[in-house]
Amino acid sequence: MNRIAVLGTGAYLPERVVSNIEVGAEAGVDDEWIVRKTAIHRRRWATADQATSDLATRAGAAALAAAGIGAGDLSAIVVATSTPDHPQPPTAAFVQHNLSARQAAAFDLNAVCSGFIFALSAVEAAVERAGGGYGLVLGADIYSRILDPTDRRTVTLFGDGAGAVVLGPREQGGILRVALHTFGEYTSMIQVPAGGSRYPRDPSGDIAESPYFTMDGRGVREFVHDNVPLLVKQFLHDSGVAPDEVDHLIPHQGNGVMLAQLAEDLMLPNATLHTTVADYGNTGAAAIPVTLDQAARTGSLRPGDKVLLIGFGGGMAVGLTLLEW
């Protein structure tokens, strides 16, 4: 019986490389501090004329090429992002037009840094319900536009980028299980307060709250430590997979120091931890598909390998996916 599987991956990172020295200057920190706190050495930022849909289009085209699928064969396109081109229309509509995927229904999904996993679940269900066809799942964000350049807790962490996968039926391998969790009591832990219906701009252009991304970094670390290992343990149990059967671990690339601790806490003895955070920083919803694409293109993933994807971020939200490659 066919499962819905990842048929191809793609990624796009802007060309502009931003060093720790550059990003730390206005925030009052140096390279040593940033590396010690985050394990991030550099990141990529979009140019002024690039929007989220531009990055997503490039990543989507790469994934389609890798899968050998034409854009006209797509029935669904979902862009996971919390930095859309506009409040409306959806960024996915621009991607659909850019790719000439005229038969595809296209919409956005916002679960912040867990968004790619949530979008993967939605597209898997859509393709399965349709009884065939192909779907394009994208994670794309341009966080550099919403960062306070003086806030060392955030401006040092984030980069811009996009990653994508093509989903479709395959006889072997595929998506084994997906689990989605939201902890709405922690909505204030990660947020951009202004710009929505709660704190809109007035006619003069003023806003009552900050338009910048804000995050309680210590709270996020505690949330991940307290919740993610337990959720993963239950997830693997429900999947009928033992911890030592997981071959690859691809988590959200939030902070390199935190990822090292998380990998230890998860106790997956045979899993290779894949990271891109040192070179690209935290790319939001793009982080997991960008890292998955790197693992796929370097030949690290072999047929039959079990790959665990872990997303966590604002909401607070946690998304888990187990793939058989």
Side-chain angles (χ1 to χ4, degrees):
M1 184 179 70
N2 288 347
R3 284 201 191 100
I4 305 303
V6 173
L7 304 182
T9 67
Y12 174 74
L13 287 306
E15 293 183 6
R16 181 188 171 199
V17 178
V18 180
S19 70
N20 284 344
I21 294 173
E22 180 181 348
V23 80
E26 199 167 349
V29 292
D30 59 14
D31 177 75
E32 186 278 331
W33 186 92
I34 296 172
V35 172
R36 176 166 50 85
K37 292 287 188 178
T38 70
I40 295 170
H41 292 264
R42 61 197 67 85
R43 74 283 297 144
R44 304 287 186 93
W45 281 0
T47 57
D49 62 345
Q50 288 181 310
T52 297
S53 65
D54 298 318
L55 277 57
T57 298
R58 297 281 291 270
L64 288 167
I69 301 298
D73 295 321
L74 294 174
S75 56
I77 297 173
V78 178
V79 175
T81 185
S82 52
T83 59
D85 286 21
H86 309 279
Q88 56 179 283
T91 298
F94 294 101
V95 175
Q96 187 240 37
H97 174 70
N98 293 342
L99 293 174
S100 297
R102 294 181 179 86
Q103 304 305 312
F107 63 92
D108 291 356
L109 186 153
N110 182 1
V112 196
C113 295
S114 295
F116 176 77
I117 302 295
F118 280 65
L120 190 78
S121 177
V123 175
E124 179 203 16
V127 172
E128 199 164 36
R129 189 178 302 115
Y134 304 95
L136 180 64
V137 188
L138 302 116
D141 274 308
I142 295 182
Y143 267 86
S144 60
R145 304 272 166 79
I146 58 171
L147 297 175
D148 179 351
T150 67
D151 182 5
R152 66 182 185 180
R153 298 167 299 179
T154 57
V155 73
T156 58
L157 286 173
F158 287 90
D160 304 333
V165 301
V166 174
L167 296 185
R170 193 171 67 194
E171 290 184 4
Q172 296 181 337
I175 299 173
L176 303 180
R177 191 176 185 87
V178 178
L180 309 176
H181 305 273
T182 300
F183 300 79
E185 64 269 32
Y186 299 114
T187 52
S188 63
M189 196 172 286
I190 296 175
Q191 59 179 328
V192 179
S197 61
R198 179 70 64 186
Y199 300 111
R201 294 180 180 273
D202 66 26
S204 70
D206 294 332
I207 47 178
E209 293 289 328
S210 171
Y212 291 126
F213 176 91
T214 65
M215 179 174 66
D216 174 3
R218 179 174 296 179
V220 171
R221 288 192 298 273
E222 290 175 355
F223 172 87
V224 171
H225 175 76
D226 293 344
N227 291 280
V228 173
L230 293 175
L231 291 172
V232 168
K233 182 178 180 180
Q234 185 63 49
F235 177 73
L236 292 177
H237 173 78
D238 294 342
S239 303
V241 172
D244 62 1
E245 294 181 277
V246 177
D247 300 297
H248 303 275
L249 173 62
I250 300 180
H252 169 57
Q253 306 288 299
N255 175 310
V257 174
M258 182 175 66
L259 288 185
Q261 183 61 56
L262 175 62
E264 184 177 324
D265 292 342
L266 290 174
M267 294 186 291
L268 305 173
N270 298 321
T272 299
L273 172 64
H274 296 270
T275 65
T276 53
V277 68
D279 289 324
Y280 302 141
N282 179 347
T283 52
I288 290 174
V290 164
T291 308
L292 178 64
D293 179 65
Q294 177 176 280
R297 290 178 184 271
T298 56
S300 298
L301 309 180
R302 297 168 297 180
D305 281 357
K306 290 184 172 58
V307 184
L308 178 61
L309 311 180
I310 303 177
F312 48 85
M316 295 291 287
V318 177
L320 307 171
T321 299
L322 185 65
L323 306 173
E324 183 178 319
W325 199 250

